[in-house]
Amino acid sequence: MLLLAIDTSCDETAAAVVKDGRVILSNSIASQVKEHADYGGVVPEIASRRHLESIVPVINEALRQAKVTLADIEGIAVTKGPGLVGALLVGVSTAKAIACVRKLPVIGVNHIEGHLLAAFLEGPVEFPFIALVVSGGHTHLYRVDGVGRYRTLGQTLDDAAGEAYDKVGKLLGLPYPGGAAIDRLAAQGDPAAIKFPRPLLHDGSCNFSFSGLKTAVLNHLQKQPRAGDEGSLANICASFQAAACEVLVSKTAAAMAASGIKRLVVAGGVACNSGLRRGMEQLAKEQQLELHIPAPLLCTDNAAMIGVPGDFYLTNGITSGLELDALANWPLDTLTASFEGVL
Ligand code: KG4
Ligand code: ZN
């Protein structure tokens, strides 16, 4: 099946053409990062307006790169949630308009489901697996038994990992979004220079907490007037990254051990992080795990990943119909419950 996939959940306008939910024919993205950078974070109204300007050119670009036209497309998958409602509505309305005019089936996909199945675009992954989804809005550990069959094992109790990276980046005066900037600076610093806390490391749960770690960085900055110097900045970044990654890796290790599952997927924007990738590779080596971390372009927001579950649902006759709406919050466990007796 040849699918047009669309994602406008946050600040990237994305469209892709995906064949059989596995082969990327195109993956087009218009980033708004520069426009939000002046505000130090995503401004919802600006995001919606930029999506409105970019959505048609981005879809046309995806079709052009894939060397197809709308006449070749057999179905549409669009992110329904979670995300910024005003942003989501642009993608959802566009998908519905195309579906209506071209008489195509349309399916509303969960953005987090897209992240955790993005690895399928690089090769086969067998079920079950444990997935760590780390993005700007999520830090969740899931057990995945099939498409549409997800169980939350743990999650952040406050900030998401990406949110913590971006907030610390802001404290350090780094450009938005701070995640990638901290990662780059961390490479030049000493991860043992400052002993930042490892929140909830030994609480026996699979939950996370990052707000205390962020406050520890703030306290350090207030106590050390020279903390903004180049060398100290790199040390703060390296030490913060060491603390964040140690918690992410060790909680994932605990979830793997408790489930007895030896297959791990790491997904979402923070999965681009070099420290996290190294930590997970080390864990996989030590515990002989099968590890899947997609290439960075498939970890951050993109539409190709929406095509993976989209293809599965449409080929199994599950469609959304033109009453499809956007959802700001949409936990994966709710999605799984809705498929009880269907999948
Ligand atoms: O998945 P994503 O593109 O969008 C959401 O669904 O949130 O994730 C964006 C998040 C941002 O917080 C960004 O700072 C973070 O991923 N990020 C990183 C890196 N690259 C992106 N965080 C740490 N290290 C990176 N290299
Ligand atoms: Zn995302």
Side-chain angles (χ1 to χ4, degrees):
M1 184 181 236
L2 204 60
L3 271 195
L4 172 65
I6 298 170
D7 182 278
T8 60
S9 57
C10 191
D11 59 346
E12 321 272 9
T13 314
V17 177
V18 180
K19 189 167 174 267
D20 299 331
R22 294 293 181 274
V23 183
I24 302 173
L25 298 190
S26 63
N27 200 6
S28 171
I29 302 171
S31 175
Q32 306 174 359
V33 160
K34 281 200 191 106
E35 277 149 288
H36 297 289
D38 289 345
Y39 302 92
V42 178
V43 182
E45 185 177 333
I46 295 179
S48 309
R49 290 177 186 274
R50 294 293 97 81
H51 284 310
L52 213 47
E53 284 169 10
S54 305
I55 189 74
V56 172
V58 167
I59 289 175
N60 282 338
E61 178 61 16
L63 295 169
R64 194 190 63 76
Q65 276 176 22
K67 299 187 175 64
V68 299
T69 68
L70 275 182
D72 302 305
I73 297 296
E74 296 167 277
I76 302 179
V78 62
T79 300
K80 169 189 165 91
L84 301 169
V85 165
L88 290 163
L89 284 174
V90 176
V92 167
S93 305
T94 308
K96 283 165 70 164
I98 299 173
C100 183
V101 172
R102 309 291 319 186
K103 299 189 173 45
L104 293 171
V106 61
I107 178 76
V109 169
N110 187 300
H111 179 81
I112 300 305
E113 186 178 22
H115 274 304
L116 63 81
L117 299 177
F120 286 76
L121 294 163
E122 294 189 333
V125 185
E126 277 175 45
F127 297 105
F129 59 82
I130 299 297
L132 172 71
V133 180
V134 266
S135 69
H138 283 73
T139 302
H140 278 60
L141 273 163
Y142 296 102
R143 179 192 164 110
V144 181
D145 285 292
V147 181
R149 295 169 61 203
Y150 314 108
R151 186 150 59 83
T152 304
L153 304 175
Q155 60 187 289
T156 182
L157 304 179
D158 39 57
D159 291 351
E163 191 182 352
Y165 261 95
D166 296 344
K167 284 179 176 170
V168 167
K170 210 169 176 175
L171 289 176
L172 297 177
L174 301 175
Y176 173 85
I182 290 179
D183 194 8
R184 274 194 301 275
L185 274 168
Q188 299 149 32
D190 173 8
I194 307 147
K195 186 77 187 150
F196 285 130
R198 271 68 172 157
L200 306 187
L201 190 60
H202 300 297
D203 75 336
S205 80
C206 289
N207 292 328
F208 304 89
S209 166
F210 291 102
S211 76
L213 176 56
K214 173 197 65 197
T215 309
V217 175
L218 177 63
N219 291 340
H220 177 82
L221 286 171
Q222 285 169 343
K223 274 191 248 147
Q224 306 276 331
R226 291 176 57 79
D229 291 0
E230 220 171 274
S232 335
L233 204 58
N235 282 344
I236 296 172
C237 290
S239 302
F240 165 77
Q241 178 140 312
C245 292
E246 185 180 337
V247 177
L248 290 168
V249 171
S250 87
K251 292 280 178 165
T252 304
M256 304 292 304
S259 67
I261 294 173
K262 291 285 203 180
R263 203 170 294 114
L264 171 63
V265 168
V266 184
V270 184
C272 296
N273 185 269
S274 59
L276 185 61
R277 291 176 95 95
R278 260 196 317 274
M280 289 300 185
E281 277 157 16
Q282 181 74 24
L283 174 73
K285 209 165 144 193
E286 281 165 15
Q287 306 200 358
Q288 284 149 13
L289 307 175
E290 181 189 317
L291 174 65
H292 300 267
I293 314 181
L297 258 182
L298 293 176
C299 287
T300 47
D301 287 352
N302 67 90
M305 68 182 193
I306 302 303
V308 181
D311 182 272
F312 174 86
Y313 294 126
L314 290 179
T315 51
N316 282 283
I318 298 168
T319 61
S320 296
L322 290 180
E323 59 277 13
L324 174 62
D325 201 355
L327 282 178
N329 296 308
W330 189 12
L332 280 186
D333 300 68
T334 317
L335 171 83
T336 297
S338 72
F339 286 130
E340 198 83 34
V342 178
L343 288 178

